């Protein structure tokens, strides 16, 4: 998970000769900050994506001005791949809560699981789950809950939605079964 400027883009062929017909967009990036991935990389110079949205490719502005929050995955050959299923947002469109949560709060939820709720009825099945309901309430994948809350582990081992402010043990939004 990184914050980066996109400095350039070009179409490249994979180094694997059996896939030489499959082109990828190589985005040259200027790393602003790395939030997750230190164990695999010290620096990232490029991210790759398929050229078409039908192949889950992502189109980014390569003007060296716009900054993005990029998440992705590392392929076996060490390339960082990004796609439509990854969380990719212009930095300026993130809420203040999302930006603050990147530094520490989201890490507090690594042992938690977010259960998606698209239709009623839905509920959590374990104490380490938070029920994500943005699709029901906002008809959006990036609604109020995603923009302003983090699913974190509480001191008793359970997980719950937390909205910034006072220390996590004091202010929680517990979503009960709809």
């Amino acid at each position: 998970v990184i914050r980066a400027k996109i400095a350039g883009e070009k179409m490249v062929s994979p180094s694997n000769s059996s896939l030489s017909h499959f082109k990828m967009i190589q985005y040259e990036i200027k790393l602003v900050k790395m939030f997750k991935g230190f164990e695999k990389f010290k620096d990232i110079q490029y991210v790759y994506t398929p050229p078409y949205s039908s192949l889950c490719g992502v189109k980014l502005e390569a003007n060296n001005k716009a900054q993005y929050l990029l998440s992705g995955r590392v392929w076996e050959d060490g390339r960082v791949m990004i796609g439509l299923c990854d969380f990719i947002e212009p930095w300026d469109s993130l809420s203040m809560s999302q930006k603050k949560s990147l530094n520490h709060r989201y890490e507090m939820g690594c042992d938690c699981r977010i259960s998606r709720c698209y239709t009623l009825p839905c509920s959590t099945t374990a104490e380490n789950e938070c029920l994500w309901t943005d699709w029901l309430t906002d008809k959006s994948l990036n609604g109020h809950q995603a923009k302003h809350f983090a699913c974190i582990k509480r001191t008793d081992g359970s997980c719950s939605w937390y909205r910034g402010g006072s220390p996590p043990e004091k202010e929680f939004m517990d979503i009960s079964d709809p």
Side-chain angles (χ1 to χ4, degrees):
V1 178
I2 61 173
R3 177 181 176 184
K5 289 183 184 180
I6 311 301
E9 75 177 272
K10 68 180 180 179
M11 196 70 72
V12 296
S13 294
S15 56
N16 183 340
S17 61
S18 67
L19 296 174
S20 61
H21 64 282
F22 186 68
K23 304 276 187 189
M24 299 290 281
I25 296 174
Q26 173 187 280
Y27 287 112
E28 179 183 355
I29 65 165
K30 301 293 182 203
L31 186 64
V32 175
K33 184 166 184 173
M34 186 178 298
F35 297 100
K36 186 176 178 183
F38 299 102
E39 66 282 352
K40 296 188 186 228
F41 296 101
K42 297 277 186 260
D43 189 28
I44 299 172
Q45 294 178 317
Y46 303 102
V47 295
Y48 297 85
T49 192
Y52 309 108
S53 60
S54 61
L55 298 171
C56 295
V58 178
K59 184 69 178 154
L60 304 174
E61 287 184 44
N63 59 13
N64 207 18
K65 293 179 184 169
Q67 293 186 29
Y68 290 90
L69 178 68
L70 303 173
S71 70
R73 60 207 168 284
V74 180
W75 274 19
E76 290 177 9
D77 63 5
R79 287 185 294 169
V80 176
M81 303 298 295
I82 61 173
L84 288 177
C85 291
D86 298 310
F87 190 72
I88 298 169
E89 288 288 325
W91 184 256
D92 291 339
S93 74
L94 296 174
S95 70
M96 188 56 66
S97 179
Q98 286 172 311
K99 290 175 183 178
K100 286 182 176 182
S101 293
L102 283 164
N103 285 318
H104 181 65
R105 228 175 267 146
Y106 291 141
E107 184 179 358
M108 295 170 68
C110 286
D111 292 333
C112 299
R113 191 171 147 245
I114 296 176
S115 298
R116 297 175 300 273
C117 178
Y118 298 113
T119 60
L120 294 175
C122 54
S123 63
T124 57
T125 58
E127 283 200 354
N128 71 332
E129 291 181 347
C130 292
L131 190 61
W132 178 75
T133 59
D134 273 352
W135 188 253
L136 283 176
T137 58
D138 298 337
K139 296 294 184 233
S140 169
L141 297 176
N142 196 15
H144 187 76
Q145 198 174 19
K147 286 189 173 289
H148 302 289
F149 291 87
C151 177
I152 67 169
K153 192 170 194 171
R154 296 166 56 159
T155 53
D156 67 1
S158 66
C159 295
S160 186
W161 291 109
Y162 166 68
R163 181 174 180 141
S166 58
E169 297 83 49
K170 295 182 181 169
E171 187 179 338
F172 273 96
M173 180 182 108
D174 287 315
I175 296 179
S176 58
D177 295 345

